């Protein structure tokens, strides 16, 4: 069962197009000064997002990280972005080190250094959390991943080999501690019993929050169809919108 | 036998559930596991005997033989399957718990495998579980090596960093530790203002305590 909820609609944009210019300005001024609800907030977020193009590698990584933590399946590995952020971290750490050992740096510079160092720590945290979020999903569904080559394209080489080795490790453990004591006919790990498979699969029906990054138009969901405009927020089942996420038209929040 | 088939398996699952709810690791229940595997083998031999008897007894095919025996076969089989799933469930839950503890300890395997008195969990594990942890640890080491020159993904908690420096109190003697600002000798009772990234590991392993 999926239930969709329009959290904040962005039909403001459309109205602006039809209205005379002066009124639009008045209208948006009014919204900003008087309406502190969701509408005004999502407007601000939207403006911020637009200003940031082209996006920095770090903010791209933050977006992938948020998506990765929300999605039930392992999403595409953003190797290039991670590499980019890692080399930025390295570069900045080098600059910080050289400036720190330099006695001629002023107090103000030292203060700036602290800010940069904090930023570096944060970037490291995002990388760690991103990688670990993926890893925990990979390990949870290791058996499923190993048996389904279609899932391999989203993994990096090292992640795939980790999934394989991890599953072998688990399998050995089960063999040693349980299965070898059982009668030969009962040693399988892939029985499906009463329609329940032993393979743990990702729950594709999990509800996720999405935000449209551009105008998508009509989207057909099992029970209704929705008009998905840029900035719209919805709560939907992952299965229904996975193709939109893959194309980058919507993001998980 | 006063108890029914799969009773012990049921107890084992309840143990897992308790462990899950209290978020603690119990000692590996070797006795129950053995008992259940024995029950499985017994059930299996019962099934085989019955099937053999049925095929010898009558010329007709198995499906047409007497209903009570068929029902009995179904029950026996279901019990055996249930036992197996319970066993695997118990082990699966333990492995998840172990992995969880491993990450929480900052991937410090030696520290984790200490005796109970030293904050380790060795007493609670079966030998195969110790092997599993060793194998898992080497997998993770392989996995993190490409990132290692920039960031150690196993170090530290998953709390977003707020400040660069934190104030800590020493709970256990940690000895001389190399930090970015030079070596620091951590002795019980002392307080330091240090870089978070330098002492993350000591915090996780319980040598230091953060003071707010």
């Amino acid at each position: 069962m999926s239930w969709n909820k329009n959290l904040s609609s962005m039909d403001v944009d459309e109205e602006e197009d039809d209205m005379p210019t002066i009124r639009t300005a008045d209208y948006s001024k009014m919204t900003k000064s008087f309406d502190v609800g969701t509408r005004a907030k999502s407007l601000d977020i939207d403006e911020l997002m637009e200003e940031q193009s082209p996006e920095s590698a770090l903010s791209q990584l933050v977006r992938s990280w948020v998506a990765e933590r929300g999605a039930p399946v392992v999403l595409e590995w953003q190797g290039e972005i991670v590499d980019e952020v890692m080399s930025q971290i390295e570069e900045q750490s080098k600059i910080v080190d050289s400036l720190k050992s330099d006695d001629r740096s002023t107090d103000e510079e030292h203060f700036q250094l602290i800010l940069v160092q904090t930023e570096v720590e944060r970037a490291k945290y995002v990388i760690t959390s991103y990688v670990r979020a993926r890893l925990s999903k990979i390990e949870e569904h290791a058996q499923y991943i190993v048996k389904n080559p279609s899932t391999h394209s989203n993994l990096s080489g090292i992640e795939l080999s980790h999934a394989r080795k991890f599953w072998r490790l688990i399998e050995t453990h089960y063999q040693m501690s349980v299965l070898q004591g059982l009668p030969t006919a009962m040693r399988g790990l892939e029985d499906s019993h009463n329609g329940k498979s032993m393979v743990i699969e990702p729950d594709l029906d999990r509800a996720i929050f999405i935000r449209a990054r551009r105008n998508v138009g009509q989207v057909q969901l099992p029970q209704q169809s929705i008009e998905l405009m840029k900035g719209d927020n919805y709560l939907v089942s992952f299965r229904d919108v996975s193709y939109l996420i893959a194309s980058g038209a919507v993001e998980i929040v | 036998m006063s108890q029914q088939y799969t009773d012990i398996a049921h107890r084992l699952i309840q143990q897992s559930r308790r462990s899950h709810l209290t978020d603690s690791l119990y000692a590996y229940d070797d006795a129950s596991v053995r008992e259940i595997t024995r029950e499985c083998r017994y059930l299996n031999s019962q099934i085989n005997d019955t099937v053999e008897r049925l095929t010898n007894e009558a010329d007709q095919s198995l499906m047409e033989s007497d209903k009570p025996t068929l029902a009995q076969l179904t029950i026996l089989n279901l019990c055996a399957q249930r036992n197996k799933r319970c066993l695997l469930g118990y082990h699966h839950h333990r492995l998840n718990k172990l992995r969880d503890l491993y990450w929480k300890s900052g991937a410090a395997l030696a520290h984790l495998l200490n005796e109970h008195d030293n904050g380790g969990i060795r007493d609670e594990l079966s030998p195969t579980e110790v092997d599993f942890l060793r194998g898992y640890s080497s997998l993770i080491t392989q996995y993190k090596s490409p990132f290692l020159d920039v960031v150690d993904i196993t170090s530290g908690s998953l709390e977003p960093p707020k400040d660069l420096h934190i104030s800590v109190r020493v709970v256990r003697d940690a000895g001389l530790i190399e930090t970015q600002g030079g070596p620091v000798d951590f002795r019980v009772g002392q307080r330091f203002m240090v870089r978070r990234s330098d002492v993350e590991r000591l915090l996780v392993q319980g040598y230091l305590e953060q003071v707010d």
Side-chain angles (χ1 to χ4, degrees):
Chain A
M1 196 185 78
S2 75
W3 52 293
N4 315 306
K5 189 173 160 196
N6 195 341
L7 290 170
S8 84
S9 102
M10 282 292 299
D11 37 15
V12 180
D13 280 351
E14 271 187 340
E15 282 171 33
E16 280 177 355
D17 290 343
D18 300 332
M19 278 184 256
T21 351
I22 304 167
R23 274 202 60 198
T24 315
D26 285 345
Y27 182 71
S28 60
K29 219 184 276 170
M30 278 180 54
T31 343
K32 269 185 186 155
S33 46
F34 294 115
D35 185 3
V36 285
T38 17
R39 180 169 291 191
K41 259 186 206 158
S42 69
L43 247 177
D44 287 345
I45 291 171
D46 217 52
E47 278 167 14
L48 275 174
M49 300 289 265
E50 258 163 277
E51 276 167 27
Q52 277 183 351
S53 58
E55 249 180 331
S56 74
L58 183 58
S59 66
Q60 279 179 51
L61 182 66
V62 168
R63 208 146 43 74
S64 315
W65 164 59
V66 172
E68 198 66 62
R69 295 189 57 152
V73 300
V74 183
L75 302 173
E76 202 181 335
W77 166 244
Q78 306 290 344
E80 282 175 25
I81 301 177
V82 172
D83 286 346
E84 176 70 26
V85 173
M86 294 228 293
S87 61
Q88 277 174 12
I89 291 178
E90 248 177 321
E91 219 169 280
Q92 284 193 313
S93 306
K94 254 182 230 157
I95 298 173
V96 166
D97 282 345
S98 67
L99 277 179
K100 227 161 102 182
S101 48
D102 194 349
D103 292 334
R104 284 166 299 171
S105 313
T106 62
D107 278 355
E108 199 186 331
E109 276 173 336
H110 270 295
F111 184 69
Q112 283 173 344
L113 279 183
I114 289 183
L115 290 184
V116 173
Q117 278 173 306
T118 314
E119 188 62 24
V120 166
E121 289 301 317
R122 290 205 171 137
K124 280 185 184 173
Y125 164 74
V126 174
I127 291 186
T128 306
S129 185
Y130 176 64
V131 171
R132 279 171 66 162
R134 291 177 65 85
L135 203 58
S136 97
K137 278 194 269 187
I138 289 169
E139 287 179 355
E140 196 184 341
H141 307 134
Q143 188 179 12
Y144 173 78
I145 289 171
V146 170
K147 310 283 176 215
N148 288 280
S150 63
T151 55
H152 293 181
S153 56
N154 275 356
L155 304 182
S156 71
I158 189 161
E159 283 174 332
L160 183 57
S161 84
H162 180 81
R164 291 211 173 101
K165 284 185 210 150
F166 179 75
W167 174 240
R168 213 173 301 141
L169 191 69
I170 292 268
E171 222 175 358
T172 330
H173 180 76
Y174 287 158
Q175 287 291 351
M176 297 295 288
S177 41
V178 183
L179 299 174
Q180 68 175 8
L182 298 181
T184 336
M186 287 174 62
R187 291 188 187 166
L189 275 174
E190 283 172 57
D191 315 352
S192 54
H193 200 56
N194 290 343
K196 273 191 183 149
S197 166
M198 284 174 72
V199 185
I200 302 175
E201 288 179 18
D203 173 19
L204 292 180
D205 292 316
R206 197 207 282 174
I208 51 163
F209 283 102
I210 56 161
R211 184 195 297 127
R213 301 189 66 218
R214 52 172 183 263
N215 293 341
V216 179
Q218 287 291 325
V219 175
Q220 188 61 47
L221 299 174
Q223 278 160 16
Q224 67 187 102
S225 85
I226 50 169
E227 177 88 9
L228 200 55
M229 302 307 285
K230 185 175 178 188
D232 282 2
N233 289 315
Y234 278 94
L235 181 62
V236 290
S237 136
F238 180 79
R239 190 192 297 275
D240 301 335
V241 293
S242 57
Y243 67 99
L244 289 172
I245 293 167
S247 72
V250 302
E251 62 181 332
I252 304 175
V253 287
Chain B
M1 202 157 63
S2 63
Q3 59 177 5
Q4 292 180 319
Y5 298 134
T6 73
D7 265 2
I8 318 165
H10 187 64
R11 278 214 302 275
L12 208 55
I13 291 301
Q14 275 182 329
Q15 219 184 86
S16 292
R17 188 169 166 68
R18 235 183 4 251
S19 148
H20 180 70
L21 291 176
T22 56
D23 197 23
S24 53
L25 184 76
Y26 294 120
Y28 184 74
D29 194 347
D30 196 35
S32 296
V33 171
R34 272 167 207 276
E35 192 71 23
I36 298 168
T37 25
R38 201 176 309 134
E39 194 178 286
C40 273
R41 284 202 296 271
Y42 174 75
L43 285 169
N44 193 56
S45 68
Q46 289 280 302
I47 293 173
N48 288 340
D49 288 353
T50 321
V51 171
E52 211 168 297
R53 191 161 45 81
L54 277 179
T55 37
N56 289 343
E57 240 170 38
D59 309 323
Q60 74 244 55
S61 69
L62 217 71
M63 288 313 290
E64 288 155 18
S65 45
D66 60 326
K67 292 279 188 293
T69 326
L70 279 184
Q72 192 198 1
L73 268 180
T74 316
I75 297 288
L76 289 178
N77 185 35
L78 280 178
C79 287
Q81 292 296 340
R82 187 184 171 83
N83 272 340
K84 173 188 170 184
R85 292 299 289 266
C86 289
L87 275 178
L88 286 176
Y90 176 72
H91 286 88
H92 181 75
H93 177 263
R94 285 184 67 87
L95 289 193
N96 282 348
K97 185 83 205 140
L98 291 182
R99 263 170 35 212
D100 205 29
L101 287 171
Y102 175 78
W103 283 100
K104 272 191 192 147
S105 76
L109 184 67
H111 177 74
L112 197 62
L113 285 182
N114 264 335
E115 309 292 319
H116 189 76
D117 298 337
N118 293 322
I121 53 165
R122 166 156 255 159
D123 303 341
E124 262 73 60
L125 302 180
S126 77
T128 10
E129 283 174 331
V130 175
D131 287 346
F132 168 79
L133 267 182
R134 292 230 168 84
Y136 185 63
S137 172
S138 76
L139 275 191
I140 293 297
T141 315
Q142 274 175 37
Y143 184 82
K144 72 177 177 180
S145 56
F147 303 97
L148 211 53
D149 45 347
V150 177
V151 47
D152 181 358
I153 58 161
T154 56
S155 87
S157 54
L158 275 183
E159 291 290 310
K162 287 205 178 63
D163 298 305
L164 208 51
H165 294 89
I166 50 168
S167 161
V168 293
R169 193 176 63 217
V170 185
V171 188
R172 289 211 310 254
D173 276 340
L176 209 60
I177 305 287
E178 199 65 45
T179 68
Q180 289 196 348
V184 179
D185 192 11
F186 288 102
R187 298 245 165 255
V188 174
Q190 289 175 326
R191 283 197 178 200
F192 292 98
M193 187 78 175
V194 279
R195 266 192 70 138
R196 187 183 187 93
S197 53
D198 281 340
V199 296
E200 194 84 65
R201 213 162 265 278
L202 296 173
L203 274 174
V204 172
Q205 292 179 12
Y207 286 100
L208 305 181
E209 212 176 62
Q210 187 170 351
V211 193
D212 291 315

